[in-house]
Amino acid sequence: MSDGTGRGGESLLFLTDEQLKKGIEAMFFAYRGFTADPDLILDDYGYGRAHHRAIHFISRSPGTTVNNLLSILGVTKQSLNRVLRTLIEDGLVESRVGTRDKRERHLHLTETGQILEADLSRVQRDRLRMAYRTAGPEAVAGFRKVLEEMMDPEMQRHFRLLKESGP
Amino acid sequence: MSDGTGRGGESLLFLTDEQLKKGIEAMFFAYRGFTADPDLILDDYGYGRAHHRAIHFISRSPGTTVNNLLSILGVTKQSLNRVLRTLIEDGLVESRVGTRDKRERHLHLTETGQILEADLSRVQRDRLRMAYRTAGPEAVAGFRKVLEEMMDPEMQRHFRLLKESGP
DNA sequence: CTTGGAATGTCAACAAGGCTGACATAAAAT
DNA sequence: ATTTTATGTCAGCCTTGTTGACATTCCAAG
């Protein structure tokens, strides 16, 4: 609908290397802004982005297993384990041995964990909402579309499985 | 112009927390895809993303000073220095003492450095071009607009100073 | 039933690349 | 002449990635 074989496709052929480089730089600078606000909060707790990512995806999929989290985060289980251990020790995450399969650990945020998650999420959503509001709704749709196309296929799969609006 | 008090602003008020979270996750997954291809090349050289960033911005602003690079990259001079030292030792970057101000070092890519830069840039531009093409030109405009709004103001300033199309 | 392999998670050790702090040098600015 | 600025270096720390070794659990084949 927005991109037939007409004007759209053709004008894209005129993308210069420098325009693409500006896109690359936009991603770089924007990602810094994107993480800046949560980083401030995390510092207070002695945590880093790895903790934030774990907390975020546990919050989004309560009861998820370590293995599932691994495939989403794309790190080694040893890396994830270190982060999870501190979160569990600090009482932010609870690890329940699976009932059906006792090898699995199902991860949940504790109440304390939910509070931190809410704080982190709020500042990050605020930044995004502000950017969305200034850019306008059509820009938002384009933003999402390009980002989705930039993902590796396996990440696209994970991404699409996350819920957008209540079930 | 695109976002008065009309339709645009109002529809944005309906953004749910979950829609915003999907935006957050899109940034996370997309950034992984964004860096994946250069990371493969960098591995062959024993380099990391820090090297890539230095190479990229030296290439974009030949003759830039260490201090200018620091403010763009947002790291400490010790961190940057470690990376620059290896790049200079390996003959990818040349550091020329300033003529007007001899305290400054002006950084340039050597021919070897330009070859690596070209390789890194090509795969990253290819990924972006593919995403742009699939998403369509209007999506691209929105993508760029939202990213720009997501940056911290100082980064916006740096971003806008980078050339988009020949001078 | 037992044994062996696969899946899952933990512990240990190492490397990259952030960080701070202290300090040296040289040039520029006052 | 003194201070400030730009840069570089050394030492040491932390986070977060990595690999290797190992324990536990499940399941399936003999």
Side-chain angles (χ1 to χ4, degrees), chain A residues 101-136:
Chain A
D101 187 336
K102 290 177 187 164
R103 291 171 302 181
E104 294 179 342
R105 307 296 143 97
H106 298 271
L107 304 169
H108 299 263
L109 292 184
T110 64
E111 279 193 20
T112 315
Q114 287 172 29
I115 290 171
L116 176 54
E117 192 281 329
D119 281 354
L120 294 168
S121 181
R122 187 171 34 70
V123 295
Q124 203 160 36
R125 278 183 283 114
D126 285 350
R127 162 98 55 158
L128 198 58
R129 191 183 299 111
M130 193 87 80
Y132 278 6
R133 179 157 34 195
T134 309

Side-chain angles (χ1 to χ4, degrees), chain B residues 2-3 9 29 36 59 88 98 110 117 123 139 144 146 167:
Chain B
S2 63
D3 165 48
F29 289 128
S59 165
I88 291 168
T110 64
E117 193 281 328
V123 294
R144 279 279 300 268
V146 173

Side-chain angles (χ1 to χ4, degrees), chain A residues 2-3 8-9 11-12 142 145-146 149, chain B residues 130-142:
Chain A
S2 65
D3 166 47
S11 76
L12 277 178
K145 209 182 290 186
V146 173
E149 294 302 329
Chain B
M130 192 88 79
Y132 278 6
R133 180 157 32 193
T134 308
E138 292 174 16
V140 172

Side-chain angles (χ1 to χ4, degrees), chain B residues 99-129:
Chain B
T99 49
R100 232 194 38 180
D101 185 335
K102 291 179 187 165
R103 291 171 304 179
E104 294 181 342
R105 308 297 143 97
H106 297 272
L107 304 169
H108 298 263
L109 293 184
T110 64
E111 280 194 18
T112 316
Q114 286 173 28
I115 289 172
L116 176 56
E117 193 281 328
D119 281 354
L120 295 168
S121 181
R122 186 171 33 72
V123 294
Q124 204 160 35
R125 279 184 282 114
D126 284 350
R127 161 99 55 160
L128 199 58
R129 191 183 299 112

Side-chain angles (χ1 to χ4, degrees), chain A residues 60-120:
Chain A
R60 283 286 267 174
S61 306
T64 186
T65 62
V66 173
N67 233 11
N68 181 48
L69 212 48
L70 281 178
S71 71
I72 287 178
L73 296 176
V75 297
T76 59
K77 59 183 179 176
Q78 293 88 336
S79 250
L80 175 58
N81 190 257
R82 187 193 307 125
V83 167
L84 284 180
R85 199 191 317 149
T86 69
L87 291 174
I88 291 169
E89 281 170 3
D90 295 351
L92 301 183
V93 168
E94 195 187 350
S95 169
R96 302 179 192 157
V97 173
T99 49
R100 234 193 37 181
D101 187 336
K102 290 177 187 164
R103 291 171 302 181
E104 294 179 342
R105 307 296 143 97
H106 298 271
L107 304 169
H108 299 263
L109 292 184
T110 64
E111 279 193 20
T112 315
Q114 287 172 29
I115 290 171
L116 176 54
E117 192 281 329
D119 281 354
L120 294 168

